[in-house]
Amino acid sequence: NKIISNSGAKVGDVLILTKPIGSGVLTTALKIEFITDEEFEEAAKVMSTLNKIGAEEMQKIGVNSCTDITGFGLIGHAYEMAAGSGVALEIDSKKIPVMKKVKDLVKEYCLPSGAYSNEKYFEKWVSFMGNIDDVTKLTLFDPQTSGGLLISVSEEKSKELLNNINNRSEIKAEIIGRVVEANKDNKPINII
């Protein structure tokens, strides 16, 4: 009775992401010696930080839906939440936390092959609105190792949940978007 599924997001909910993205890019860069061990330290810290705090705090406050961000990247797991819940997600690309050096590495096409697989599979369900550059787009498809949680929580509980997580964790959670109604004119994932 403590299970929180990835299919309960409700229109009007706020989306909270508990860790920055980019671990796939940084892990790939380290393997091919594109970055130093020191430049990998942030990713090591993020990946070794468990989702325990986020999980405990969302259990206390009560949320509508949650998924972890792993191999399908932020876009893939967000799509699963949207499709399973019968809603659409509007995500602000400027509010998504991204680890240092990730976008510079993506500019050099230093990405895991899984990012391209994710893009190929999930791009048909995503609308990129405005002037979102290709580097940002590819970063959102990056498969994560030990990624954070994407939490869908009612707006009235969102600030308290965010504060509770951030008061306990060195890795800071961020509000990255909201849940909107699905309709035939929009795709399940809208990146603004």
Side-chain angles (χ1 to χ4, degrees):
N1 61 355
K2 289 190 174 185
I3 292 172
I4 298 170
S5 78
N6 67 353
S7 58
K10 299 197 179 342
V11 173
D13 280 1
V14 168
L15 298 170
I16 294 175
L17 182 64
T18 63
K19 289 184 185 182
I21 62 172
S23 61
V25 169
L26 291 167
T27 302
T28 299
L30 185 68
K31 283 180 196 168
I32 60 171
E33 299 180 357
F34 236 60
I35 59 172
T36 64
D37 289 346
E38 291 77 28
E39 291 171 317
F40 188 72
E41 281 178 11
E42 180 186 15
K45 183 177 181 179
V46 168
M47 290 189 297
S48 63
T49 300
L50 301 177
N51 284 317
K52 182 177 194 265
I53 291 170
E56 289 174 351
E57 293 300 333
M58 73 178 183
Q59 288 282 357
K60 285 182 204 170
I61 205 158
V63 302
N64 293 323
S65 189
C66 179
T67 186
D68 60 337
I69 308 302
T70 54
F72 295 146
L74 178 60
I75 296 277
H77 292 286
Y79 167 74
E80 288 180 334
M81 179 183 281
S85 303
V87 297
L89 305 185
E90 185 178 277
I91 298 173
D92 187 336
S93 62
K94 293 175 194 69
K95 292 185 178 176
I96 299 167
V98 178
M99 287 182 256
K100 290 184 214 78
K101 289 209 60 81
V102 169
K103 290 198 175 183
D104 290 337
L105 290 164
V106 173
K107 280 181 194 168
E108 300 292 324
Y109 300 101
C110 180
L111 289 110
S113 61
Y116 297 106
S117 300
N118 287 341
E119 179 186 33
K120 185 176 180 182
Y121 185 78
F122 291 108
E123 69 182 342
K124 61 183 162 276
W125 291 301
V126 183
S127 288
F128 289 100
M129 302 168 163
N131 295 327
I132 298 174
D133 60 83
D134 289 339
V135 168
T136 299
K137 289 177 186 176
L138 273 173
T139 301
L140 300 182
F141 290 107
D142 182 37
Q144 302 301 287
T145 298
S146 187
L149 302 174
L150 179 64
I151 302 168
S152 179
V153 60
S154 66
E155 187 168 9
E156 53 271 14
K157 294 179 180 179
S158 62
K159 293 266 191 318
E160 183 181 357
L161 178 58
L162 187 69
N163 290 336
N164 291 350
I165 293 170
N166 287 341
N167 286 337
R168 291 182 60 198
S169 179
E170 285 184 60
I171 309 295
K172 299 306 177 195
E174 300 282 347
I175 292 174
I176 64 164
R178 62 195 180 103
V179 180
V180 297
E181 279 193 48
N183 64 60
K184 62 179 174 41
D185 296 330
N186 69 358
K187 294 184 179 181
I189 304 298
N190 300 285
I191 306 295
I192 58 171

